[in-house]
Amino acid sequence: MVPSDQLPKTYDFANVEERWLGRWRDEDFYFVQDSEKPRFVIDTPPPYPTGSFHIGNALNWCYIDFFARYKRMQGFNVMFPQGWDCHGLPTEVKVEEINRITKNDVSREEFRRLCRELTLNNIRQMRQTLRAMAFSVDWSNEYITMHPDYFKKTQLSFLRMLKSGYIYQSEHPVNFCTRCETAIAFAEVAYDERSTRLNYFDFDGVEIATTRPELLAACVAVAVHPEDQRYHHLKGGLLRVPIFSHTVPVVQDEVVDPSFGSGAVMICTFGDKQDVHWWKQHNLSLRKAIDRRGRMTALAAKYDGMTAAECRTAILADMKDKNMLKKQEDLDQRVGACWRCKTPIEILSERQWFVKIKPDEILDAAHQIRWYPEHMLRRMENWVGQMEWDWCISRQRIFATPIPVWFCRKCGELVVPDEKDLPLDPTLTQPDHACPGCGNNEFIGEEDVLDTWMDSSISVLYVTGWDGSGIPGIFPAQIRPQGHDIIRTWAFYTILRAVALTGQRPWDQILINGMVLGEDGFKMSKSRGNIIVPEEILSKYGADALRQWSATGAATGSDIMFNWNDVVAASRFQTKMWNIARFVLLQLEKEGVDKTIQVTALADRWLLTRLSDTVATVTEAMDQYQFDAALKAIREFAWDVLADNYIELVKGRLYAKDASRKSACLVLHTAYDSICRMLAPFTPYFAEECYSYLNEESVHRQPWVTFTYDDPQALLEGDILTKIVAEVRKFKHDSGLALNAPLGRVTIYTPLAILDEGDMSRTLNADVHWRTDSARLDRVVTDIGFNRSVVGPAFKKQSQAFMEAVRMLTPEQLLDPPATINLEGTEVAVPENAFTPRFSYMEGGARVDVLSVAGVIVTIQRSA
Ligand SMILES: [Zn+2]
Ligand SMILES: [Zn+2]
């Protein structure tokens, strides 16, 4: 044990955190494959390697680390893997920026190499933050989705799902970002309120209102409501599209709202999802007027090559010239945009790859999973309930997992590789056999690549060791921790893929964390300037303070507003706890700990009871992932119960070298050891530092606290004891007495026969008497308080005389004042609230002060 005079006076988090980070070994957190212990496998979210670990990640990882450390202490064989979800557009864009190129300037392979290089650098930086924050990651289970050993499994899963009919290719309308030049999934469309204009124009004699006149070239029909009298004459007829002159049918559909605009709408391929419905339902033709880059096609005739926006302006101008434009109105509209770049999406009909969505299967698995908090399951149910389109998984990009198929150059037959040949890039290799359809030997490799969610939605299969040969022994995982913003993507896709590939749910439980909002209550964003980066908190207050903030900021699942005050409070708790530690260590050093003695003193038994209750509360909260409740209970016990009440109560005994000092030391040791172990998941550095002064072994190798102590009487009596001490100490303070000044005689009247072994006497420096009878007190009036704001206005110059007269009243009259009083010969009314008698109490002929604490009467006869 370090001598207590060598303990630093203040807690230097920077020094402590750096020191322990250098000493801890990665191996201590490895998952053991052949362990006898129950397993606890975590399907950690693989973050996108942007180079910086943001505060939302930090919150998410704090939650994971709290329960990973807790489960280890509970005897579980924990796997806390760390993945990196590498592929995707943001990295491509960054590479283009950094190298001042576009993806078309270099070969696909060279472009991928640049993306990989940037990603690896970013991963290196983010690993450092993960380590600094003391996350107990199992680095032997790290995975990088762009590495061949990972994307081989993505490709394997693709082939398996293709074979079982879950995956198919088809020409179908999809959401398309013309800036990113790729299809995107329905889940990647972010809706935004935008204001636009509704344009009314003449459509072959029918008035039509549209927000997208540039789609006129893509018009394939005009729809009206079947009951709309205005358009009965058009039934079964054709209309000529203005400007472009092709003819389109008039269709009748119940969905048309006769009160919107003119009640007649044009159907284009495709303005929105409704157009897609109508197009299918009425079996309409397809006119592609906008291409993948958002430019007008040859179908748009003179507008060919313009952007959609340019075309809109040009068409509206032409309509004005031709006197076709009747009026324009402002309109607020919900517009779907690309979630990455915010460009409004187009719906384009393209040959794409799709995953079939079977809502019942997904819901069934979702219901077998335990959701924390429970209401998050509703979000999944709602999302599944509104699925209309299959999941589009092909992307027209480069830095992604290649789709491992070829097409026969001659007959177009789809050719797939042998599973043993994975991973592969079909644009770089050829099948090793001839086309089964026509025997030809020339193939075109698929250039489309997979949606990044196709990689990350098998994370749980990857970490549990899935290789296609069967269901892994450690599948399903025990838990998936993730944010509520990706329930409809990552959680949804993972469930879908697990069911498709294994027939089972992916995890037993899912734990949802909220989002971190800026100090102003808004989502953090560059434009608002409200971004807080973890590194700033780490350098100012350290990892443990940041981790405490994560735990106490909000209930699990709720959004959490960042607040520096919470970080400061966390740091203050460490300072307070460090003072407690120094005091306790000093006492234990003097005495040593005798674990064989019997604890008998009331204060000691009371503390052990409170500790036992705290352990139960914290354990239950940890089991339910309620980190805020757990850490608050630990803080309250350490600060209020142990430091402010217990230590104050037994200080006298500890200084007095009383025979019962050993008992207090044993209690201090038990409480200290328990606090260190309960704090270990939350503040790993601080807990390790405190624990190291008492023990050789790391606190992180200790079992969770199971301490129990049942003594209801000690709890009841100890609560009274500590409350009285607190009140009397307050009385001393309010009376201007030093806390250690002699107080005199304190008598406590309670029917309980409390034996406090002199603790109260010593801590109050008073002669304390416990009595089970009732107090006999005489009340005497000692003073009268006058209310000058009543007396002054009522009596003016006679005020003094009024007060004299009141002072002449008997104590009984003061308690029940007469209606009038004689003032210099005249009876005058006594106004209400003119005065208040002040009392003193006498006990056995001596004047005493009286306190009532939790229904117990305490008298204090102060020493002369
Ligand atoms: Zn985009
Ligand atoms: Zn062929």
Side-chain angles (χ1 to χ4, degrees), residues 392-410:
C392 175
I393 53 166
S394 44
R395 298 288 181 274
Q396 292 69 51
R397 298 296 310 182
I398 296 175
F399 184 46
T401 298
I403 296 178
V405 301
W406 298 271
F407 301 98
C408 171
R409 202 177 275 278
K410 207 162 152 195

PDB file of all heavy atoms in Angstrom, residues 392-410:
ATOM      1  N   CYS A 392     -33.560  -1.745 -52.681  1.00  0.00           N
ATOM      2  CA  CYS A 392     -32.653  -1.638 -53.832  1.00  0.00           C
ATOM      3  C   CYS A 392     -31.221  -1.682 -53.306  1.00  0.00           C
ATOM      4  O   CYS A 392     -30.815  -0.810 -52.534  1.00  0.00           O
ATOM      5  CB  CYS A 392     -32.909  -0.323 -54.574  1.00  0.00           C
ATOM      6  SG  CYS A 392     -31.737  -0.049 -55.908  1.00  0.00           S
ATOM      7  N   ILE A 393     -30.460  -2.702 -53.670  1.00  0.00           N
ATOM      8  CA  ILE A 393     -29.116  -2.889 -53.090  1.00  0.00           C
ATOM      9  C   ILE A 393     -27.981  -2.587 -54.072  1.00  0.00           C
ATOM     10  O   ILE A 393     -26.815  -2.673 -53.704  1.00  0.00           O
ATOM     11  CB  ILE A 393     -28.921  -4.332 -52.565  1.00  0.00           C
ATOM     12  CG1 ILE A 393     -29.255  -5.349 -53.667  1.00  0.00           C
ATOM     13  CG2 ILE A 393     -29.746  -4.559 -51.308  1.00  0.00           C
ATOM     14  CD1 ILE A 393     -28.779  -6.748 -53.343  1.00  0.00           C
ATOM     15  N   SER A 394     -28.312  -2.250 -55.333  1.00  0.00           N
ATOM     16  CA  SER A 394     -27.208  -1.957 -56.259  1.00  0.00           C
ATOM     17  C   SER A 394     -26.941  -0.466 -56.288  1.00  0.00           C
ATOM     18  O   SER A 394     -27.849   0.353 -56.185  1.00  0.00           O
ATOM     19  CB  SER A 394     -27.539  -2.481 -57.651  1.00  0.00           C
ATOM     20  OG  SER A 394     -28.867  -2.182 -58.000  1.00  0.00           O
ATOM     21  N   ARG A 395     -25.667  -0.144 -56.388  1.00  0.00           N
ATOM     22  CA  ARG A 395     -25.243   1.252 -56.451  1.00  0.00           C
ATOM     23  C   ARG A 395     -24.331   1.407 -57.646  1.00  0.00           C
ATOM     24  O   ARG A 395     -23.543   0.511 -57.960  1.00  0.00           O
ATOM     25  CB  ARG A 395     -24.494   1.638 -55.172  1.00  0.00           C
ATOM     26  CG  ARG A 395     -25.336   1.534 -53.898  1.00  0.00           C
ATOM     27  CD  ARG A 395     -26.380   2.629 -53.814  1.00  0.00           C
ATOM     28  NE  ARG A 395     -27.173   2.549 -52.599  1.00  0.00           N
ATOM     29  CZ  ARG A 395     -28.267   1.804 -52.466  1.00  0.00           C
ATOM     30  NH1 ARG A 395     -28.699   1.051 -53.468  1.00  0.00           N
ATOM     31  NH2 ARG A 395     -28.936   1.796 -51.339  1.00  0.00           N
ATOM     32  N   GLN A 396     -24.395   2.587 -58.276  1.00  0.00           N
ATOM     33  CA  GLN A 396     -23.576   2.823 -59.454  1.00  0.00           C
ATOM     34  C   GLN A 396     -22.340   3.603 -59.025  1.00  0.00           C
ATOM     35  O   GLN A 396     -22.113   4.722 -59.439  1.00  0.00           O
ATOM     36  CB  GLN A 396     -24.396   3.553 -60.527  1.00  0.00           C
ATOM     37  CG  GLN A 396     -25.511   2.683 -61.122  1.00  0.00           C
ATOM     38  CD  GLN A 396     -26.655   2.381 -60.145  1.00  0.00           C
ATOM     39  OE1 GLN A 396     -27.197   3.294 -59.521  1.00  0.00           O
ATOM     40  NE2 GLN A 396     -27.022   1.114 -59.994  1.00  0.00           N
ATOM     41  N   ARG A 397     -21.599   3.006 -58.098  1.00  0.00           N
ATOM     42  CA  ARG A 397     -20.414   3.667 -57.573  1.00  0.00           C
ATOM     43  C   ARG A 397     -19.209   2.737 -57.680  1.00  0.00           C
ATOM     44  O   ARG A 397     -19.280   1.707 -58.363  1.00  0.00           O
ATOM     45  CB  ARG A 397     -20.645   4.052 -56.091  1.00  0.00           C
ATOM     46  CG  ARG A 397     -21.783   5.018 -55.869  1.00  0.00           C
ATOM     47  CD  ARG A 397     -21.598   6.390 -56.478  1.00  0.00           C
ATOM     48  NE  ARG A 397     -20.327   7.006 -56.155  1.00  0.00           N
ATOM     49  CZ  ARG A 397     -19.993   8.229 -56.558  1.00  0.00           C
ATOM     50  NH1 ARG A 397     -20.845   8.965 -57.264  1.00  0.00           N
ATOM     51  NH2 ARG A 397     -18.814   8.727 -56.246  1.00  0.00           N
ATOM     52  N   ILE A 398     -18.124   3.065 -56.967  1.00  0.00           N
ATOM     53  CA  ILE A 398     -16.889   2.295 -57.119  1.00  0.00           C
ATOM     54  C   ILE A 398     -16.409   1.687 -55.810  1.00  0.00           C
ATOM     55  O   ILE A 398     -16.146   0.489 -55.739  1.00  0.00           O
ATOM     56  CB  ILE A 398     -15.766   3.203 -57.688  1.00  0.00           C
ATOM     57  CG1 ILE A 398     -16.176   3.653 -59.095  1.00  0.00           C
ATOM     58  CG2 ILE A 398     -14.436   2.462 -57.713  1.00  0.00           C
ATOM     59  CD1 ILE A 398     -15.212   4.638 -59.711  1.00  0.00           C
ATOM     60  N   PHE A 399     -16.304   2.534 -54.772  1.00  0.00           N
ATOM     61  CA  PHE A 399     -15.720   2.064 -53.516  1.00  0.00           C
ATOM     62  C   PHE A 399     -16.783   1.316 -52.718  1.00  0.00           C
ATOM     63  O   PHE A 399     -17.477   1.890 -51.881  1.00  0.00           O
ATOM     64  CB  PHE A 399     -15.158   3.242 -52.724  1.00  0.00           C
ATOM     65  CG  PHE A 399     -14.441   2.850 -51.463  1.00  0.00           C
ATOM     66  CD1 PHE A 399     -13.514   1.815 -51.460  1.00  0.00           C
ATOM     67  CD2 PHE A 399     -14.681   3.523 -50.279  1.00  0.00           C
ATOM     68  CE1 PHE A 399     -12.844   1.455 -50.299  1.00  0.00           C
ATOM     69  CE2 PHE A 399     -14.025   3.176 -49.112  1.00  0.00           C
ATOM     70  CZ  PHE A 399     -13.108   2.138 -49.122  1.00  0.00           C
ATOM     71  N   ALA A 400     -16.945   0.044 -53.025  1.00  0.00           N
ATOM     72  CA  ALA A 400     -17.972  -0.778 -52.387  1.00  0.00           C
ATOM     73  C   ALA A 400     -17.685  -2.236 -52.721  1.00  0.00           C
ATOM     74  O   ALA A 400     -16.795  -2.527 -53.529  1.00  0.00           O
ATOM     75  CB  ALA A 400     -19.347  -0.383 -52.896  1.00  0.00           C
ATOM     76  N   THR A 401     -18.437  -3.115 -52.107  1.00  0.00           N
ATOM     77  CA  THR A 401     -18.260  -4.537 -52.385  1.00  0.00           C
ATOM     78  C   THR A 401     -18.817  -4.846 -53.787  1.00  0.00           C
ATOM     79  O   THR A 401     -19.980  -4.549 -54.065  1.00  0.00           O
ATOM     80  CB  THR A 401     -18.997  -5.378 -51.329  1.00  0.00           C
ATOM     81  OG1 THR A 401     -18.417  -5.099 -50.056  1.00  0.00           O
ATOM     82  CG2 THR A 401     -18.894  -6.868 -51.630  1.00  0.00           C
ATOM     83  N   PRO A 402     -17.972  -5.435 -54.672  1.00  0.00           N
ATOM     84  CA  PRO A 402     -18.460  -5.748 -56.019  1.00  0.00           C
ATOM     85  C   PRO A 402     -19.574  -6.801 -55.962  1.00  0.00           C
ATOM     86  O   PRO A 402     -19.555  -7.680 -55.104  1.00  0.00           O
ATOM     87  CB  PRO A 402     -17.226  -6.319 -56.733  1.00  0.00           C
ATOM     88  CG  PRO A 402     -16.045  -5.921 -55.895  1.00  0.00           C
ATOM     89  CD  PRO A 402     -16.553  -5.794 -54.493  1.00  0.00           C
ATOM     90  N   ILE A 403     -20.502  -6.690 -56.895  1.00  0.00           N
ATOM     91  CA  ILE A 403     -21.543  -7.711 -57.017  1.00  0.00           C
ATOM     92  C   ILE A 403     -20.945  -8.847 -57.850  1.00  0.00           C
ATOM     93  O   ILE A 403     -20.578  -8.635 -59.015  1.00  0.00           O
ATOM     94  CB  ILE A 403     -22.807  -7.135 -57.689  1.00  0.00           C
ATOM     95  CG1 ILE A 403     -23.411  -6.044 -56.799  1.00  0.00           C
ATOM     96  CG2 ILE A 403     -23.821  -8.247 -57.978  1.00  0.00           C
ATOM     97  CD1 ILE A 403     -24.650  -5.360 -57.376  1.00  0.00           C
ATOM     98  N   PRO A 404     -20.799 -10.032 -57.254  1.00  0.00           N
ATOM     99  CA  PRO A 404     -19.996 -11.077 -57.893  1.00  0.00           C
ATOM    100  C   PRO A 404     -20.779 -11.876 -58.938  1.00  0.00           C
ATOM    101  O   PRO A 404     -21.044 -13.069 -58.747  1.00  0.00           O
ATOM    102  CB  PRO A 404     -19.589 -11.963 -56.705  1.00  0.00           C
ATOM    103  CG  PRO A 404     -20.737 -11.846 -55.760  1.00  0.00           C
ATOM    104  CD  PRO A 404     -21.317 -10.469 -55.947  1.00  0.00           C
ATOM    105  N   VAL A 405     -21.117 -11.247 -60.059  1.00  0.00           N
ATOM    106  CA  VAL A 405     -21.797 -11.970 -61.141  1.00  0.00           C
ATOM    107  C   VAL A 405     -21.310 -11.433 -62.488  1.00  0.00           C
ATOM    108  O   VAL A 405     -20.788 -10.328 -62.584  1.00  0.00           O
ATOM    109  CB  VAL A 405     -23.344 -11.811 -61.085  1.00  0.00           C
ATOM    110  CG1 VAL A 405     -23.913 -12.315 -59.781  1.00  0.00           C
ATOM    111  CG2 VAL A 405     -23.754 -10.364 -61.317  1.00  0.00           C
ATOM    112  N   TRP A 406     -21.513 -12.283 -63.506  1.00  0.00           N
ATOM    113  CA  TRP A 406     -21.217 -11.856 -64.885  1.00  0.00           C
ATOM    114  C   TRP A 406     -22.463 -12.080 -65.731  1.00  0.00           C
ATOM    115  O   TRP A 406     -23.378 -12.819 -65.332  1.00  0.00           O
ATOM    116  CB  TRP A 406     -20.098 -12.704 -65.483  1.00  0.00           C
ATOM    117  CG  TRP A 406     -18.783 -12.616 -64.765  1.00  0.00           C
ATOM    118  CD1 TRP A 406     -17.786 -11.720 -64.992  1.00  0.00           C
ATOM    119  CD2 TRP A 406     -18.297 -13.498 -63.736  1.00  0.00           C
ATOM    120  NE1 TRP A 406     -16.705 -11.960 -64.178  1.00  0.00           N
ATOM    121  CE2 TRP A 406     -17.000 -13.054 -63.385  1.00  0.00           C
ATOM    122  CE3 TRP A 406     -18.830 -14.602 -63.058  1.00  0.00           C
ATOM    123  CZ2 TRP A 406     -16.220 -13.675 -62.413  1.00  0.00           C
ATOM    124  CZ3 TRP A 406     -18.064 -15.224 -62.084  1.00  0.00           C
ATOM    125  CH2 TRP A 406     -16.779 -14.769 -61.763  1.00  0.00           C
ATOM    126  N   PHE A 407     -22.454 -11.470 -66.895  1.00  0.00           N
ATOM    127  CA  PHE A 407     -23.504 -11.730 -67.881  1.00  0.00           C
ATOM    128  C   PHE A 407     -22.822 -12.239 -69.145  1.00  0.00           C
ATOM    129  O   PHE A 407     -21.778 -11.702 -69.545  1.00  0.00           O
ATOM    130  CB  PHE A 407     -24.275 -10.450 -68.190  1.00  0.00           C
ATOM    131  CG  PHE A 407     -24.905  -9.852 -66.969  1.00  0.00           C
ATOM    132  CD1 PHE A 407     -24.290  -8.800 -66.282  1.00  0.00           C
ATOM    133  CD2 PHE A 407     -26.104 -10.363 -66.471  1.00  0.00           C
ATOM    134  CE1 PHE A 407     -24.854  -8.278 -65.134  1.00  0.00           C
ATOM    135  CE2 PHE A 407     -26.675  -9.831 -65.317  1.00  0.00           C
ATOM    136  CZ  PHE A 407     -26.045  -8.794 -64.652  1.00  0.00           C
ATOM    137  N   CYS A 408     -23.416 -13.245 -69.748  1.00  0.00           N
ATOM    138  CA  CYS A 408     -22.863 -13.783 -70.995  1.00  0.00           C
ATOM    139  C   CYS A 408     -22.994 -12.708 -72.069  1.00  0.00           C
ATOM    140  O   CYS A 408     -24.062 -12.127 -72.267  1.00  0.00           O
ATOM    141  CB  CYS A 408     -23.610 -15.046 -71.400  1.00  0.00           C
ATOM    142  SG  CYS A 408     -23.154 -15.605 -73.053  1.00  0.00           S
ATOM    143  N   ARG A 409     -21.880 -12.467 -72.756  1.00  0.00           N
ATOM    144  CA  ARG A 409     -21.884 -11.416 -73.767  1.00  0.00           C
ATOM    145  C   ARG A 409     -22.804 -11.769 -74.944  1.00  0.00           C
ATOM    146  O   ARG A 409     -23.355 -10.903 -75.626  1.00  0.00           O
ATOM    147  CB  ARG A 409     -20.451 -11.201 -74.283  1.00  0.00           C
ATOM    148  CG  ARG A 409     -20.226  -9.840 -74.917  1.00  0.00           C
ATOM    149  CD  ARG A 409     -18.776  -9.672 -75.346  1.00  0.00           C
ATOM    150  NE  ARG A 409     -17.919  -9.203 -74.256  1.00  0.00           N
ATOM    151  CZ  ARG A 409     -17.817  -7.921 -73.905  1.00  0.00           C
ATOM    152  NH1 ARG A 409     -18.523  -7.007 -74.507  1.00  0.00           N
ATOM    153  NH2 ARG A 409     -17.014  -7.558 -72.930  1.00  0.00           N
ATOM    154  N   LYS A 410     -22.984 -13.090 -75.146  1.00  0.00           N
ATOM    155  CA  LYS A 410     -23.763 -13.530 -76.298  1.00  0.00           C
ATOM    156  C   LYS A 410     -25.257 -13.658 -75.985  1.00  0.00           C
ATOM    157  O   LYS A 410     -26.100 -13.057 -76.639  1.00  0.00           O
ATOM    158  CB  LYS A 410     -23.213 -14.873 -76.779  1.00  0.00           C
ATOM    159  CG  LYS A 410     -23.448 -15.144 -78.244  1.00  0.00           C
ATOM    160  CD  LYS A 410     -22.509 -16.251 -78.711  1.00  0.00           C
ATOM    161  CE  LYS A 410     -23.081 -17.023 -79.867  1.00  0.00           C
ATOM    162  NZ  LYS A 410     -22.331 -18.279 -80.059  1.00  0.00           N
TER     163      LYS A 410
END
